[in-house]
Amino acid sequence: MTALLLVALVLALLVLRQPLLVILTCAVAFVHTFWGAGRLEYVVEDMWVALDKDVILAIPMFVLCGGVMTKGATARRLIDIAAAATQHLPGGLAVACVMSCGIFAAISGSSIVTMLAVGSVMLPALMNNGYPGRFSLGLVMAGGTLGIVIPPSVPLIIYGLVTETSITDLFIAGIGPGILLLTVFAGYSMWVNRHLPTKPFSMAQLLQALRRGVWALMMPVILLGGIYTGWFSATEAAAVGLLYALLVEIFIHREMRLPEFGSVMLEAAKLGGTFFPLLAAAMSLNLVLTEHRVPEAMVQWAQQYIHSPLAFMLIVNALLLAVGCLVTTGEAILILAPLLAPLAVAYGYDPVAFGVIMIVNLEIGFLTPPVGLNLMVAMSAFKQKFGDLVVAAVPWILLMLACLALVSWQPWIAMYLVGGGA
């Protein structure tokens, strides 16, 4: 009866269109009152315990790092390198866009930041060079989604926090699926635009672009190399990345003034003010549910009706695809990851591999209506109709679904570098 009352409370708040923070806070208060010790002051105590983790510092620092690089000319320099390296290929400029999104994703950790930083430069260039408008829009929006798969990824950090999974392992596991998506996007771009003229490869042009962009290109090498070799943790990588970004943009490129860092910090603070209360409420709820062995009860219930790991993964992927259409990635992870991760382990999936599969799945939600964030931001930033953007995203959604199916079927794609697939 208590569980039914909790479900009724959540549904009523959803019908009343209350913000997620209100819904989570009410759910936490309800659970503490009826399942916990009956003292609401424990909610605040649990929230403090939930946020008292060093790794949480990685989130604002990675956001700041991406903001600094976006304020400067890092995206422009990375695009120049990619364009010089791919101009001799069919659809070379589109391949350069894919590569630029992949490299910038390894700096920003954000889908929207990646899409805007690369798309603001590449979208006009693609259209001016004869690439179809619908293809170009879809490419920029899909390329932006790489920001949440390729490490350092903020959603991977959130998943690691709420499921107590190694964030370093999650970062390393994201490399394989990220490369798979990059390869598929680049191959599709070459095939669709194979009729367009190409330019001869110029080593001199490539070397010139490398000289101008070598400092920007070193950022993902330092971050991923340091994490992979174990020289520093995810939090330390975020601090190193932020310091490096400031040194490069202010003292080497000199395309960002120190006072401009204040506006970057303000934007990061706004994100933190929105996100951290959600994280505290969600993790407080998770503490109570774990204490009362709710995940274990869900495992026992599921195993009565779902006997195959394949059937479980098909159901979970269908659920996540539906959820991704309705809520943002961060919200979906906060609500579902603590419940689904124990189920995945019970069916034989490594929690790291399942985390990456979950992120790849929710990545598609950035392109699906009605709540696709990349669709909404692109509508405003690129002055396009929402319906046109949805149509432009369809081929890329199909490609991403194929990659999701492959990673779900063969988890070693994610686990090989971690050691689980060797």
Side-chain angles (χ1 to χ4, degrees):
M1 179 60 68
T2 305
L4 290 175
L5 287 174
L6 175 60
V7 172
L9 172 65
V10 172
L11 290 176
L13 292 171
L14 287 172
V15 170
L16 294 172
R17 302 176 63 86
Q18 293 301 303
L20 180 62
L21 179 59
V22 173
I23 296 174
L24 282 176
T25 304
C26 291
V28 170
F30 184 94
V31 170
H32 270 275
T33 300
F34 292 96
W35 290 350
R39 298 179 61 181
L40 291 180
E41 59 265 31
Y42 288 171
V43 174
V44 178
E45 182 179 336
D46 281 353
M47 287 182 175
W48 175 260
V49 172
L51 291 179
D52 189 22
K53 294 178 171 62
D54 292 342
V55 73
I56 291 178
L57 294 172
I59 296 175
M61 283 193 288
F62 275 129
V63 172
L64 280 171
C65 181
V68 170
M69 289 296 204
T70 304
K71 279 282 186 183
T74 297
R76 175 73 264 180
R77 294 169 187 266
L78 293 176
I79 289 170
D80 288 343
I81 295 173
T86 61
Q87 64 184 9
H88 62 291
L89 298 174
L93 194 61
V95 177
C97 182
V98 173
M99 291 178 58
S100 301
C101 287
I103 298 172
F104 200 84
I107 296 172
S108 69
S110 166
S111 172
I112 293 174
V113 171
T114 300
M115 181 184 72
L116 292 178
V118 177
S120 60
V121 178
M122 289 300 300
L123 186 60
L126 287 165
M127 292 185 173
N128 291 337
N129 282 273
Y131 288 80
R134 183 176 294 176
F135 166 85
S136 302
L137 287 167
L139 170 61
V140 169
M141 291 189 297
T145 66
L146 295 170
I148 72 166
V149 177
I150 297 176
S153 159
V154 172
L156 283 175
I157 296 175
I158 299 171
Y159 175 89
L161 283 171
V162 299
T163 61
E164 297 184 353
T165 304
S166 168
I167 293 174
T168 298
D169 286 349
L170 287 167
F171 277 4
I172 297 171
I175 296 174
I179 292 174
L180 172 65
L181 286 162
L182 278 170
T183 304
V184 170
F185 285 178
Y188 177 73
S189 299
M190 292 173 64
W191 179 74
V192 169
N193 301 289
R194 60 192 181 277
H195 62 283
L196 293 177
T198 60
K199 297 179 181 179
F201 176 76
S202 171
M203 180 59 72
Q205 185 177 348
L206 177 59
L207 291 175
Q208 182 182 7
L210 284 170
R211 279 195 298 270
R212 294 187 68 250
V214 64
W215 293 104
L217 199 59
M218 285 300 295
M219 168 68 90
V221 175
I222 292 172
L223 291 182
L224 299 183
I227 292 172
Y228 186 74
T229 57
W231 284 1
F232 33 74
S233 65
T235 307
E236 293 165 343
V240 170
L242 177 57
L243 177 61
Y244 182 85
L246 287 170
L247 290 174
V248 168
E249 293 297 346
I250 294 175
F251 298 106
I252 297 177
H253 291 165
R254 298 183 178 181
E255 293 178 351
M256 176 182 172
R257 295 178 300 166
L258 191 57
E260 292 178 306
F261 184 55
S263 63
V264 177
M265 292 184 64
L266 182 60
E267 291 300 318
K270 290 178 181 178
L271 174 65
T274 303
F275 172 72
F276 287 126
L278 283 174
L279 181 62
M283 293 182 71
S284 174
L285 179 62
N286 296 340
L287 286 173
V288 180
L289 294 178
T290 302
E291 181 181 347
H292 289 272
R293 306 178 67 85
V294 173
E296 289 87 341
M298 289 185 62
V299 169
Q300 295 174 3
W301 177 85
Q303 289 180 332
Q304 293 178 4
Y305 302 97
I306 306 172
H307 305 291
S308 163
L310 177 60
F312 164 77
M313 187 54 66
L314 289 173
I315 293 171
V316 167
N317 276 331
L319 170 66
L320 291 174
L321 287 171
V323 168
C325 294
L326 301 173
V327 300
T328 64
T329 299
E331 294 171 346
I333 296 171
L334 289 173
I335 297 170
L336 295 177
L339 300 175
L340 294 179
L343 282 171
V345 172
Y347 282 97
Y349 287 89
D350 188 282
V352 174
F354 180 74
V356 174
I357 291 170
M358 186 173 188
I359 299 302
V360 172
N361 193 311
L362 294 174
E363 175 193 20
I364 300 172
F366 278 85
L367 300 179
T368 53
V371 192
L373 287 182
N374 279 20
L375 296 173
M376 294 183 178
V377 174
M379 181 175 62
S380 174
F382 305 138
K383 305 295 187 270
Q384 300 290 326
K385 295 180 180 179
F386 188 79
D388 293 341
L389 293 172
V390 172
V391 173
V394 169
W396 304 93
I397 292 173
L398 295 176
L399 293 174
M400 294 164 74
L401 285 171
C403 292
L404 170 64
L406 185 58
V407 175
S408 300
W409 178 45
Q410 298 290 336
W412 66 264
I413 296 173
M415 295 301 295
Y416 187 80
L417 292 177
V418 181

